[in-house]
Amino acid sequence: QVQLVESGGGSVQAGGSLRLSCATFGVSYSSTSKAWFRQAPGNEREGVAVIVTDDGSTVYADAVRGRFTISQDKAKNTMYLQMNSLKPEDTAMYYCAASFRVNDGAWPPEADKYNYWGQGTQVTVSS
């Protein structure tokens, strides 16, 4: 059974940094792409960033471009999200997701094309 396990969330002040990790277990081959989504209370889930496994191409939401960096370590089957210059509006539950269908950087990422999801990790940014 495929499992995605996130870690690295927490509470920081505005301007601070956090690094989220998403480790994949239970599958011997790589997904075609992985993504980070987030959902704040009262808001819809939104895509944050996508990375295509084969070529490592990335795409970001306008709100985070230039501040967040998505990356992967194929050998460890792990994905990361480095978040710098955090703002209070970045406060949300962050979820990683893996797709065996999506193989391009189309935006926005469609959640229903991502087969597997992590349990979520809370990020709280105070002003």
Side-chain angles (χ1 to χ4, degrees):
Q1 178 157 345
V2 179
Q3 279 189 303
L4 275 63
V5 180
E6 298 129 336
S7 60
S11 297
V12 296
Q13 290 193 326
S17 298
L18 284 172
R19 187 193 195 207
L20 306 183
S21 299
C22 174
T24 304
F25 301 95
V27 61
S28 59
Y29 53 94
S30 297
S31 55
T32 54
S33 69
K34 289 189 173 72
W36 289 97
F37 291 81
R38 67 185 182 185
Q39 187 167 20
N43 290 0
E44 293 186 356
R45 180 172 49 188
E46 62 178 359
V48 175
V50 173
I51 186 164
V52 178
T53 302
D54 275 353
D55 62 8
S57 59
T58 59
V59 63
Y60 297 91
D62 289 344
V64 307
R65 190 177 298 113
R67 300 187 297 121
F68 291 10
T69 303
I70 188 172
S71 62
Q72 61 182 353
D73 184 331
K74 290 183 182 180
K76 296 181 179 179
N77 215 354
T78 299
M79 173 178 68
Y80 305 95
L81 185 69
Q82 178 66 44
M83 304 185 294
N84 298 330
S85 302
L86 282 160
K87 304 176 181 180
E89 51 263 44
D90 294 318
T91 295
M93 185 73 78
Y94 283 70
Y95 299 91
C96 65
S99 176
F100 292 86
R101 299 167 57 191
V102 176
N103 58 7
D104 58 28
W107 194 265
E110 297 178 58
D112 59 358
K113 292 185 178 179
Y114 285 80
N115 313 77
Y116 300 98
W117 292 77
Q119 79 284 359
T121 187
Q122 179 67 37
V123 172
T124 302
V125 185
S126 57
S127 57

